[in-house]
Each structure stands twice: as C-alpha cells, then as structure tokens.
Amino acid sequence: MSRPILVAIGFVLLAGLLWAESTRSPSIILTYKVPLSSLFVVTAFLQPRPMPVYYRLIVVGLLLGLVGDVCLALPGLTTFRCGLAAFLAGHIVYVLAFTRLTRFSDWAHAANVVVLVASGAVFLWLLPRLGGML
C-alpha cells in the first residue's frame, strides 16, 4: 500500500474521529478510533526492519497505544485506568527502543535534565491530587 493512500485513509479516519468525538458516543468513536490507531501499526509493519529489536519494541509500543486508545474510548473508571496503564507501558517500551539507537552518554544532555526536573515537578504537584489513582 502506498504512502499517499495510507495518508488519505488516515485523514478520512481522523476527520471521522473528530466528528465522532462531538457525538460522545463510545461506539461511534470506536468506529473511527480503532482503525485510525490500527493504521499506525499497519504502517509500522510496512516499514523496513534494519534494526529488528528496535522495530519489535516500536511495534509493541504502538500495540499498547492501540489498547490504550480503545480503553480510553470506553466508559468507566476501570477502562480509563487500563488505558492509562497501557499508554504508560507503551511509553516505557518506546524509551527502551530509543535506548537501542544511542549510547547512554548521549542521553546525558542538559535538555534531558530539564525535562526530567520538569516531569518530577509535575508529578510532585499531581501527587496530593491523585487519591486512588496513585
């Protein structure tokens, strides 16, 4: 499948998802969200694989993102928490994938320290507000 066709399908699904979000109907939202998120996975499968471990980790991250998207589109606190957990796991897998691309010393950059400090500050700010979500 060519890239222009994938992009066109993605735009159509995105437009449908934006409309579906205005309906607030989980079934209508899932009608567009699942194929759109699946398109990320399909696109990954169509890519060359010069670094197999990196490729597999990225695909796992994308699949976890798909699970997270589905869970967040469903009503209920339990599915919301499952969606958050899937997204967290996916992002951890992405970090593991990205560590395959560089040496650890390349990560010791001032900008990364700023991001870590800002992330820690946001976490500390959220901590007293998390309650049962902690």
Side-chain angles (χ1 to χ4, degrees), residues 71-88:
C71 289
L72 290 182
L74 297 171
L77 185 58
T78 300
T79 55
F80 176 76
R81 288 178 175 167
C82 288
L84 287 181
F87 279 125
L88 174 61

Side-chain angles (χ1 to χ4, degrees), residues 55-66:
Y55 168 79
R56 284 192 293 272
L57 289 169
I58 292 297
V59 169
V60 168
L62 290 170
L63 289 169
L64 287 166
L66 172 61

Side-chain angles (χ1 to χ4, degrees), residues 47-53 55:
Q47 301 306 306
R49 299 170 182 94
M51 300 174 66
V53 175
Y55 168 79

